Amino acid sequence: MGLFNNIATDPPIEVFHLTELFHQDANPSKVNLTIGVYQDENGKTLTLPVIRSVEQQMAQDLTLTKMYLKGTGLDAFCTACLKLVLGEQSPAIVENRACSIQTLSGTGAIRIGLDFLYRNGFRTAYVSAPTWGNHESVLQTVGFEVRKYRYWNKERLCLDIDGFIADLEAAPEKSVILLHACAHNPTGCDPTHEQWIRISDTCKSRQLIPFFDLAYQGFSSGDLDQDAWAIRYFAHEAKHELFVAQSFAKNFSLYNERIGHLIGLFESRDIIPKFRTQMATIVRRNYSNPPAHGAHLVATILNNPTLCGEWKNNVRAMYERIHAMRHLFYNKLKQLGTPGTWEHIVQQTGMFAYTGLNPRQCQVLMQQHHIYIMSDGRINICAITPKNADEIAQKFFDVITNVADDPKL
Amino acid sequence: MSVSRTLSLANKHQLWIISKVSRLASTNSWWSNVEMGPPDAILGVTEAFKRDTNPKKINLGVGAYRTDEGKPFVLESVKKAEQLIASENLDKEYAPISGIAEFCQANAKLAFGDDSRVIKDQLFATTQGISGTGSLRIGAAFLAKFFPGNKVIYLPNPSWGNHTPIMKHAGLDVKSYRYYDSKTCGFDFNGAKEDIEKIPENSIILFHACAHNPTGVDPRPEQWKELSSIVKNRKLFVFMDMAYQGFASGNIDDDAFAVRKFIDDKHNLMLAQSYAKNMGLYGERVGACTVVCQDKDEVERVMSQIKILIRPMYSNPPIHGARIAAKILNQQDLRSIWLKEVKQMADRIITMRQQLADNLKKNGSKKNWQHITDQIGMFCFTGLNQQQSERLIKDFSVYLTKDGRISMAGVTSKNNAYLANAIHEVTK
């Protein structure tokens, strides 16, 4: 008699479920616009050439051992990451007030960052409405009470900055605020610099803890420093104590190596050793120490000017292709005379576009047209290519003109 | 940049105490009351070793295999597999949450044996984990959420230091059963049986499948048979931790004896495996957590739940190490090389044990050192008490943990005699 006879099968996670349905779909013109993975104009998720060459080198290097990294990760990696996010001249780095801990990509960074906050007494967290699906899961698993701040204005298809500020102003002191540093997922809609300053001011006056999720540095503007503007403003000008969870899944195309890091930035350098030992404890009881391979790859590249330059060009190229596809898709929709306004497609940045399609339209798109998109209307622009843009636009036009909302969904 | 790295163990202790009583000058920081975490005891041994200038110093705190030259060992099978993988230009796309199939399948066969009913009927719900720690963590989280009985896990006394924090943090209560007999430096079989027979039904019990850490003391096959029967009668759920398959005796099947016996006796157990030691893949974090299920339907349901546990931890596992392990297990020529290398590592440890016991005799020691050769695996519980251990460190620059545990990996043919002499001096 099995012990686990009575456990339920939980519903699968939407993005993986849809991707699986896509794989099972035999229709030749199927397209997967769900999962946030970069694809080139041939629909391929290629490994960056700079990664391949470093990997080949590492494989031939017989002096490299497989020794454990420290729980807090590879130092050469962590140092380079601090500079990448905060800038080489960051006063926080110069004054030794910032610390980077290697993590299991972005998810892992968010998770142990929140573990740290929870064990130090923080209990309430705010996420944007909407936000990346896994934010709430991680927060709930750690034990936080999760609240939302208004973010996306559905009617006007833009940032609801007044709602955002009002919700922060009503937040209890010491609430943790999860902010998307750039290329907001799923909306692609980021605050302007002036709006970031307002957000920063409110966090200061309400004594809220900024926790940045940086999964797309380089994808928003094509420029790594520009995409870090909000974090740097909060850190250097507004002088917040803050946290940053960075993923290198997308901008290094290293999805499956699980490489990322968590930054803790404090007012006093005295906190750093305490932070490190607490993080070491948290890591020890979860996975002891992080995987080495991805860290060596990223560290080698970031610390070598030639390789780093090559990488930055790769990031720029990915950004430019996405940017071009936004315009292509937008133009096609306009050419077809698709009802509604579509400027948000080109105004949004990063990998995703929040199309504004309703759940019924998404369903029909999938079932009748074999175009897979998230039920909230989010699409991965990367999966659009010059070859399939026409057909995708046509099918969107089709469901938008013919399919009304279904209140039951 | 890293202040903590340059601090000695003593200084870290001081900082820890000071931070508890002092307040920060700054009042704007949220972190005034953040405490310094306690320093890691085992790490402290290595740090003290590094600072020691005695040319004869020996580090017996290291938990990783070393060659007879005292160097880390990168297996040829691993290097070859890695070169093949690099040339195959495999993708970097997300692995499935539960890991890559070629790893999970091969891993299950390694543990249970190709002919096992578990393999034949595909009754294993296996997920790749972040080495042994991560696999234990997933298993513990699953039990904390779904185990229908008492959410209490019984660990052998002593056990690996990290077992308790992992289990507690996952939400299980931790208790223990007698295991190590300090009088004989061997297995307290009667004590273990007595304690296990008193464990409330429907609780969880953890066993080290082979090469018990930290004692090196394993039950004999006939003792495993009895334990399996007792545990069945008590209706206990079995969690096996197998971190040293192949590394203990040199033979992967012999080392899996306990796991396979329990499976034969129809325990639907949970198993955590690590490839850190037996494939030398330490930093690549390769491991697996398996729940042996009643039927395929249970496998599906269990897998769906485990994926949901993993998603808010780290989404999906790192692929590099798993690809290496899968290649080695699945490609015949690499597998042969690996099996030889695992035996090589185990044989060196066994030889060092024998030499140490012989050298102690040569020194004229009157004590019984049989446990050195009776024990198995990386670690040896010498039987030295705290005072004697401290003397070893202070007077002979032999670094071990205060419980008298030595890592045989740090013993070489060159330092064996010195070590034997030092142990003799502090115990005579």
Side-chain angles (χ1 to χ4, degrees):
Chain A
M1 178 67 175
L3 271 176
F4 304 107
N5 274 350
N6 296 321
I7 70 171
T9 305
D10 259 28
I13 296 143
E14 191 192 1
V15 66
F16 300 119
H17 177 61
L18 290 176
T19 297
E20 217 189 294
L21 289 179
F22 167 80
H23 285 306
Q24 290 164 5
D25 190 333
N27 189 297
S29 58
K30 64 180 181 178
V31 184
N32 186 3
L33 300 178
T34 62
I35 193 156
V37 169
Y38 175 80
Q39 290 171 21
D40 64 13
E41 60 274 9
N42 298 313
K44 298 262 180 288
T45 303
L46 290 184
T47 302
L48 302 183
V50 67
I51 292 281
R52 289 281 183 228
S53 63
V54 174
E55 265 189 330
Q56 298 279 357
Q57 262 180 331
M58 283 170 62
Q60 303 304 325
D61 186 350
L62 298 174
T63 67
L64 286 178
T65 71
K66 295 281 180 208
M67 278 301 103
Y68 290 124
L69 294 181
K70 288 193 296 201
T72 49
L74 182 68
D75 285 336
F77 167 78
C78 296
T79 317
C81 287
L82 273 181
K83 292 186 196 153
L84 182 67
V85 177
L86 298 173
E88 303 226 358
Q89 313 303 327
S90 162
I93 295 180
V94 168
E95 292 158 22
N96 249 313
R97 292 184 291 108
C99 175
S100 160
I101 308 283
Q102 183 186 336
T103 60
L104 295 161
S105 205
T107 308
I110 293 169
R111 175 56 184 262
I112 65 173
L114 292 173
D115 278 334
F116 169 80
L117 286 165
Y118 188 86
R119 83 202 294 263
N120 283 289
F122 295 81
R123 288 292 178 273
T124 309
Y126 281 75
V127 298
S128 61
T131 191
W132 178 47
N134 208 15
H135 278 154
E136 281 183 74
S137 303
V138 181
L139 283 164
Q140 279 157 6
T141 305
V142 172
F144 276 85
E145 185 204 330
V146 185
R147 299 185 189 179
K148 300 202 173 139
Y149 56 87
R150 277 167 285 173
Y151 195 83
W152 178 244
N153 185 320
K154 240 170 66 164
E155 284 73 46
R156 293 174 49 221
L157 303 171
C158 66
L159 180 66
D160 178 3
I161 184 64
D162 291 329
F164 190 160
I165 299 290
D167 288 343
L168 291 189
E169 259 161 8
E173 280 181 15
K174 292 183 72 171
S175 296
V176 178
I177 312 297
L178 231 59
L179 299 161
H180 297 233
C182 65
H184 184 272
N185 177 3
T187 69
C189 175
D190 291 340
T192 61
H193 288 189
E194 294 68 41
Q195 289 170 333
W196 273 122
I197 293 171
R198 280 181 68 191
I199 294 162
S200 165
D201 288 345
T202 312
C203 287
K204 261 281 151 105
S205 66
R206 291 299 304 148
Q207 302 194 72
L208 310 174
I209 318 290
F211 194 130
F212 285 95
D213 184 349
L214 179 62
Y216 300 99
Q217 189 181 8
F219 274 84
S220 194
S221 68
D223 182 297
L224 295 156
D225 294 309
Q226 212 171 305
D227 284 357
W229 185 90
I231 293 172
R232 294 179 190 183
Y233 175 82
F234 271 61
H236 305 140
E237 264 98 294
K239 298 198 188 359
H240 288 269
E241 292 184 299
L242 54 80
F243 298 86
V244 183
Q246 178 162 34
S247 166
F248 291 116
K250 282 84 170 169
N251 60 9
F252 267 89
S253 249
L254 280 177
Y255 305 90
N256 62 22
E257 300 291 2
R258 315 313 291 135
I259 182 66
H261 68 109
L262 170 76
I263 293 178
L265 193 156
F266 306 101
E267 201 194 49
S268 162
R269 65 195 296 169
D270 295 340
I271 314 286
I272 299 293
K274 299 185 192 185
F275 176 67
R276 285 181 78 85
T277 58
Q278 287 211 17
M279 294 316 299
T281 300
I282 291 169
V283 167
R284 178 70 170 153
R285 63 178 50 150
N286 281 294
Y287 54 88
S288 280
N289 43 80
H293 193 68
H296 283 299
L297 289 173
V298 174
T300 302
I301 291 168
L302 289 181
N303 288 322
N304 177 314
T306 313
L307 295 177
C308 193
E310 214 186 302
W311 169 63
K312 286 183 180 171
N313 289 339
N314 288 163
V315 174
R316 175 115 207 138
M318 287 192 277
Y319 157 79
E320 274 168 3
R321 198 187 96 69
I322 297 174
H323 193 65
M325 288 305 101
R326 284 188 180 277
H327 282 275
L328 185 62
F329 189 55
Y330 167 75
N331 289 335
K332 301 263 177 216
L333 288 174
K334 295 293 278 184
Q335 277 163 25
L336 290 168
T338 314
T341 51
W342 297 101
E343 276 65 39
H344 57 286
I345 301 276
V346 289
Q347 283 158 4
Q348 290 164 3
T349 66
M351 246 184 222
F352 303 112
Y354 223 37
T355 55
L357 263 62
N358 64 51
R360 178 88 190 108
Q361 289 166 333
C362 297
Q363 210 180 47
V364 172
L365 202 54
M366 179 175 76
Q367 286 164 354
Q368 283 181 20
H369 295 293
H370 307 277
I371 308 253
Y372 291 73
I373 82 174
M374 299 295 282
S375 61
D376 60 1
R378 186 193 85 171
I379 63 171
N380 177 8
I381 294 279
C382 306
I384 299 179
T385 71
K387 292 196 202 77
N388 65 22
D390 273 318
E391 203 176 331
I392 295 174
Q394 182 63 58
K395 292 174 175 178
F396 265 75
F397 172 80
D398 205 63
V399 301
I400 290 160
T401 45
N402 295 325
V403 180
D405 204 350
D406 183 338
K408 277 195 254 88
L409 278 172
Chain B
M1 140 113 196
S2 172
V3 177
S4 59
R5 255 192 304 151
T6 59
L7 289 176
S8 69
L9 185 60
N11 288 356
K12 273 197 212 164
H13 269 296
Q14 271 185 311
L15 243 181
W16 184 41
I17 292 163
I18 288 168
S19 72
K20 280 168 137 352
V21 300
S22 71
R23 296 197 64 88
L24 276 186
S26 152
T27 51
N28 284 336
S29 177
W30 289 117
W31 315 106
S32 318
N33 295 322
V34 161
E35 298 200 346
M36 178 77 99
D40 183 299
I42 295 180
L43 198 62
V45 170
T46 302
E47 290 184 353
F49 167 81
K50 283 190 187 144
R51 282 195 309 275
D52 192 326
T53 51
N54 185 339
K56 290 196 165 233
K57 64 181 179 177
I58 308 177
N59 185 1
L60 300 179
V62 62
Y65 179 81
R66 292 282 180 272
T67 63
D68 201 49
E69 285 74 44
K71 299 248 168 6
F73 179 42
V74 182
L75 279 65
E76 185 195 337
S77 50
V78 167
K79 226 35 198 176
K80 283 199 151 91
E82 218 170 16
Q83 285 164 1
L84 278 171
I85 289 166
S87 69
E88 281 166 26
N89 287 328
L90 299 169
D91 66 71
K92 295 291 184 196
E93 297 181 52
Y94 288 121
I97 299 178
S98 54
I100 49 173
E102 57 267 35
F103 169 75
C104 293
Q105 282 282 330
N107 169 78
K109 287 188 182 161
L110 180 70
F112 302 115
D114 288 359
D115 297 326
S116 171
R117 64 176 177 90
V118 172
I119 302 298
K120 292 214 174 104
D121 300 338
Q122 296 279 299
L123 297 175
F124 53 96
T126 295
T127 182
Q128 195 186 318
I130 314 286
S131 205
T133 307
S135 304
L136 288 161
R137 177 77 177 88
I138 292 170
F142 181 76
L143 290 171
K145 196 168 174 189
F146 294 107
F147 186 62
N150 305 318
K151 292 179 183 175
V152 188
I153 186 164
Y154 287 76
L155 304 176
N157 184 9
S159 194
W160 180 44
N162 206 16
H163 274 149
T164 297
I166 293 170
M167 300 301 160
K168 280 205 169 133
H169 183 61
L172 297 173
D173 258 337
V174 176
K175 295 204 163 114
S176 67
Y177 57 91
R178 273 173 288 171
Y179 189 85
Y180 178 69
D181 185 343
S182 53
K183 286 194 245 35
T184 62
C185 295
F187 183 35
D188 182 1
F189 189 34
N190 287 329
K193 282 195 286 187
E194 267 178 46
D195 285 354
I196 293 173
E197 260 151 9
K198 293 206 195 82
I199 296 177
E201 288 187 2
N202 299 313
S203 305
I204 306 161
I205 185 165
L206 182 138
F207 290 108
H208 298 222
C210 62
H212 182 271
N213 176 3
T215 69
V217 169
D218 284 349
R220 288 192 304 275
E222 58 273 21
Q223 292 172 324
W224 275 123
K225 288 176 185 167
E226 247 192 273
L227 288 169
S228 170
S229 169
I230 294 168
V231 165
K232 232 324 111 136
N233 291 338
R234 292 304 299 156
K235 297 191 174 61
L236 304 178
F237 179 83
V238 177
F239 197 155
M240 282 279 184
D241 184 355
M242 184 152 70
Y244 298 97
Q245 188 184 5
F247 193 89
S249 70
N251 181 298
I252 50 169
D253 296 309
D254 290 351
D255 287 351
F257 173 81
V259 170
R260 296 179 189 181
K261 177 70 181 112
F262 273 60
I263 292 289
D264 280 347
D265 292 348
K266 305 276 192 297
H267 292 272
N268 281 353
L269 48 79
M270 178 176 275
L271 171 65
Q273 288 161 267
S274 167
Y275 289 84
K277 284 80 170 174
N278 62 7
M279 275 193 188
L281 285 173
Y282 305 90
E284 301 293 2
R285 317 310 290 132
V286 189
C289 175
T290 295
V291 181
V292 175
C293 297
Q294 193 65 18
D295 50 47
K296 288 216 181 84
D297 178 70
E298 189 167 79
V299 170
E300 256 185 62
R301 284 181 287 111
V302 168
M303 284 305 296
S304 79
Q305 293 296 351
I306 288 183
K307 288 178 195 173
I308 288 166
L309 289 170
I310 292 174
R311 176 82 167 147
M313 287 182 185
Y314 53 84
S315 283
N316 45 80
I319 208 167
H320 189 69
R323 279 180 169 158
I324 294 173
K327 217 170 217 359
I328 289 174
L329 292 175
N330 291 322
Q331 195 168 308
Q332 209 39 54
D333 58 335
L334 291 179
R335 192 185 173 107
S336 301
I337 298 174
W338 172 59
L339 290 173
K340 288 204 188 79
E341 293 180 299
V342 142
K343 181 155 172 30
Q344 199 183 316
M345 289 190 282
D347 282 348
R348 190 182 96 67
I349 302 275
I350 291 168
T351 305
M352 286 302 100
R353 287 180 179 275
Q354 192 59 59
Q355 267 185 28
L356 186 59
D358 291 345
N359 279 331
L360 279 162
K361 239 180 161 179
K362 277 195 202 139
N363 271 275
S365 177
K366 301 282 189 300
K367 298 197 169 294
N368 182 352
W369 295 105
Q370 195 179 326
H371 53 281
I372 292 186
T373 46
D374 281 349
Q375 290 168 10
I376 193 168
M378 181 104 65
F379 300 109
C380 171
F381 246 29
T382 54
L384 265 61
N385 60 36
Q386 181 160 334
Q387 257 177 316
Q388 292 164 328
S389 303
E390 280 167 358
R391 259 200 78 198
L392 264 189
I393 297 174
K394 208 157 84 46
D395 297 345
F396 295 93
S397 296
V398 171
Y399 289 83
L400 71 168
T401 45
K402 299 273 168 63
D403 53 6
R405 185 194 85 162
I406 62 173
S407 164
M408 293 307 300
V411 183
T412 68
S413 53
K414 288 190 200 64
N415 66 26
N416 205 306
Y418 175 80
L419 175 62
N421 177 253
I423 293 176
H424 173 60
E425 286 298 318
V426 307
T427 55
K428 67 181 182 191

